[in-house]
Amino acid sequence: MHREHLVETAPGVRLWVEERGAADAPALLLVMGAQASGLAWPGELVDALAAHHRVIRYDHRDTGRSTWSYETEPYAITDLARDALAVLDALGVERAHLVGMSLGGMLAQLLLADHPERVLSATLIGTCALSTTPYTAPDGTATPVEDLPGIDPRILEMWANRPEDLDEAGELEWRVEHWRLLHGDALPFDAEAVREQERRILAHTGHARVSTAHAQASPDGMVRTEALAATKVPVLVVSATAEPVFPPPHARHLAQVIRGARVVEVPGMGHALPAPVLGPLAEAILRHTGA
């Protein structure tokens, strides 16, 4: 079944929410990254998960069909985590499996740290740990969190030099080139598939305006070192071997700082969800939620 809703998560804030799968199946909440609509979760992946789960995906504030309000009502990143919880509340979901990508992986960590009673399991993709504990390499070398490898300079340059006032065609092509870099260098890049997905997102959103709300939103109060080290929620960390935003040491660091976390490697995967990784990713998620 396919169901759509507009859910109020805060005064004056309504989020677009979609459900797929049987209403009585275990709930699974997909939490996307910064500035990304819920439609950035590929339909093929959503359908694979919906064969076993009541899959819920949504548009963050300032994306897609949800309220665009940051310019008049600024909010913090922690408010986006409260939105995710409010989506579950609105749909009557007591406990859910969480799958978070990039910023969504950070929001998932906030939920499993602050509201573990609401989380059945968490799968973290393309993200970093909300912990100050240093990373210990296989040879025993300790690396402070701030010294872990950072974002590919090509991506930083693209962000810094984003053209203003692009028309819809120009915005579409900028997004395709952005995804080309996020994709990583290991797997072939299917520009036409990405272009088609971004066309769907533009049509869903209804305009080609760009928001930088999530880049501007305050990250204060996000560290959860002690709670992550003590959690009893089962956590799976996806290690993407070609990840250009949070390179592989970040996945291993996550698994070190989150109690009991397991790592699964998806060869060739970058900071994106192209067709070749969807099968292995769905299999890993379903094995984790089924356990």
Side-chain angles (χ1 to χ4, degrees):
M1 293 178 64
H2 173 237
R3 304 168 292 281
E4 293 187 30
H5 318 271
L6 282 175
V7 166
E8 185 167 348
T9 61
V13 177
R14 300 174 83 195
L15 303 188
W16 174 86
V17 179
E18 179 204 72
E19 297 180 78
R20 291 195 201 182
D24 59 352
L28 186 153
L29 181 68
L30 295 172
V31 189
M32 208 356 109
Q35 306 307 151
S37 159
L39 262 61
W41 292 104
E44 179 184 336
L45 177 64
V46 176
D47 288 340
L49 299 175
H52 302 270
H53 289 284
R54 176 189 180 186
V55 177
I56 303 161
R57 61 176 173 173
Y58 66 99
D59 291 340
H60 293 295
R61 304 185 197 195
D62 290 276
T63 75
R65 293 183 187 171
S66 292
T67 301
W68 288 51
S69 59
Y70 187 84
E71 291 183 5
T72 54
E73 296 285 343
Y75 49 83
I77 297 296
T78 49
D79 290 318
L80 298 179
R82 282 189 273 274
D83 282 348
L85 199 64
V87 168
L88 296 181
D89 290 341
L91 299 185
V93 176
E94 290 185 16
R95 300 181 75 197
H97 298 280
L98 303 180
V99 179
M101 180 160 185
S102 196
L103 174 66
M106 300 177 202
L107 302 181
Q109 289 175 70
L110 290 174
L111 291 184
L112 71 91
D114 298 348
H115 301 279
E117 74 284 355
R118 304 295 299 274
V119 185
L120 290 166
S121 78
T123 300
L124 308 176
I125 307 165
T127 193
C128 63
L130 302 183
S131 171
T132 57
T133 303
Y135 165 62
T136 303
D139 65 3
T141 305
T143 303
V145 173
E146 60 270 19
D147 292 337
L148 287 172
I151 301 169
D152 186 321
R154 296 173 297 173
I155 296 172
L156 292 174
E157 183 178 356
M158 192 169 187
W159 290 349
N161 296 296
R162 198 188 208 291
E164 294 184 10
D165 301 322
L166 290 171
D167 61 14
E168 185 165 320
E171 172 64 20
L172 181 62
E173 291 313 306
W174 190 93
R175 294 185 186 191
V176 171
E177 292 310 304
H178 185 223
W179 281 117
R180 188 187 301 276
L181 292 182
L182 293 176
H183 179 86
D185 298 326
L187 296 173
F189 179 69
D190 187 342
E192 193 46 49
V194 170
R195 190 172 287 111
E196 185 53 40
Q197 170 138 317
E198 287 300 326
R199 284 195 190 104
R200 286 194 296 272
I201 290 172
L202 285 168
H204 167 77
T205 305
H207 59 79
R209 295 200 308 275
V210 175
S211 171
T212 58
H214 300 167
Q216 297 180 66
S218 170
D220 291 347
M222 290 179 63
V223 174
R224 295 292 187 276
T225 304
E226 291 78 13
L228 294 175
T231 187
K232 295 179 181 178
V233 175
V235 175
L236 179 69
V237 178
V238 174
S239 177
T241 60
E243 169 67 62
V245 176
F246 297 109
H250 284 278
R252 295 194 290 273
H253 181 232
L254 266 168
Q256 288 177 5
V257 303
I258 299 176
R259 180 177 182 265
R262 297 187 303 108
V263 178
V264 63
E265 187 174 278
V266 179
M269 184 176 175
H271 198 76
L273 298 170
V277 309
L278 299 183
L281 191 58
E283 183 181 348
I285 293 169
L286 290 171
R287 192 182 304 120
H288 180 56
T289 60

